[in-house]
């Protein structure tokens, strides 16, 4: 299996898990609960993941034209669940379309913008984005199990 095929499968798997997690909330308002030491709501983490992937995969690698409003990812509240699910579905399509259009050679090329302390390869950035998605997906899972009462 090629690296791009593996990345495509991982992003697809985890974005579909994100849809499932958001769907599993029994009480839609619980998506927006902040309690004790839990700093971010599931809804805001969902918006953050959508913004992140649409920016760093869709806009930077797929020329989608997406414009990120990162502050809104954490300040918006009470976005309807159906809208969150549609945003995830749209992101699945953008990520899939972009990764399908890339060649394996592109992975070893320099990522178009500097995101960290220095330049990285496209492969490094895609691996970072996949682990970032998994990290926040786990947070959403715990948020749901702790606060969806």
């Amino acid at each position: 299996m090629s690296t791009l095929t593996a990345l495509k499968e991982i992003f697809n798997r985890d974005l579909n898990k994100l849809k499932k997690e958001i769907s599993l909330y029994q009480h839609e308002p619980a998506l927006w609960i902040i309690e004790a030491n839990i700093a971010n709501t599931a809804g805001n983490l969902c918006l953050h993941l959508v913004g992140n992937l649409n920016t760093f995969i869709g806009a930077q690698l797929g020329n989608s034209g997406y414009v990120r409003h990162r502050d809104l990812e954490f300040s918006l509240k009470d976005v309807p669940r159906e809208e969150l699910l549609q945003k995830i579905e749209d992101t699945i399509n953008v990520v899939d379309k972009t990764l399908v259009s890339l060649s394996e050679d592109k992975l070893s090329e320099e990522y178009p913008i500097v995101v960290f302390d220095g330049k990285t390869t496209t492969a490094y950035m895609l691996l970072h984005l996949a682990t970032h998605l998994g990290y926040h997906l786990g947070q959403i899972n715990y948020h749901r199990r702790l606060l969806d009462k």
Side-chain angles (χ1 to χ4, degrees), residues 18 32 40-56 66 68-74 84 87 91 128-129 132-133 135-136 139-140:
L18 177 59
W32 303 98
N40 293 307
T41 70
N44 290 118
L45 288 172
C46 178
L47 292 171
H48 172 60
L49 288 168
V50 164
N52 187 272
L53 294 173
N54 275 287
T55 298
F56 295 119
Y66 180 83
R68 188 176 192 183
H69 301 284
R70 192 175 189 280
D71 57 324
L72 294 178
E73 295 168 14
F74 295 99
L84 293 175
K87 286 178 183 292
T91 302
H128 166 76
L129 293 169
H132 177 260
L133 171 58
Y135 175 76
H136 288 313
Q139 288 179 316
I140 292 168

Side-chain angles (χ1 to χ4, degrees), residues 21-144:
E21 283 295 332
I22 298 301
S23 296
L24 283 172
Y25 276 79
Q26 294 179 28
H27 308 284
E28 188 170 340
L31 285 161
W32 303 98
I33 292 174
I34 293 177
E35 186 175 295
N37 293 323
I38 299 175
N40 293 307
T41 70
N44 290 118
L45 288 172
C46 178
L47 292 171
H48 172 60
L49 288 168
V50 164
N52 187 272
L53 294 173
N54 275 287
T55 298
F56 295 119
I57 295 179
Q60 290 300 319
L61 297 175
N63 299 311
S64 68
Y66 180 83
V67 176
R68 188 176 192 183
H69 301 284
R70 192 175 189 280
D71 57 324
L72 294 178
E73 295 168 14
F74 295 99
S75 63
L76 284 176
K77 302 293 178 211
D78 302 319
V79 176
R81 181 195 332 243
E82 286 306 315
E83 187 176 333
L84 293 175
L85 294 172
Q86 186 59 57
K87 286 178 183 292
I88 299 166
E89 189 61 37
D90 293 345
T91 302
I92 290 169
N93 292 330
V94 165
V95 168
D96 185 60
K97 180 181 174 185
T98 301
L99 294 182
V100 164
S101 74
L102 298 181
S103 68
E104 285 288 327
D105 292 340
K106 180 76 173 172
L107 295 178
S108 60
E109 292 178 10
E110 188 178 298
Y111 186 73
I113 61 171
V114 175
V115 179
F116 307 109
D117 291 336
K119 297 176 182 178
T120 63
T121 63
T122 298
Y124 182 93
M125 188 63 184
L126 290 171
L127 288 167
H128 166 76
L129 293 169
T131 59
H132 177 260
L133 171 58
Y135 175 76
H136 288 313
L137 181 58
Q139 288 179 316
I140 292 168
N141 175 271
Y142 269 87
H143 182 277
R144 179 181 56 77

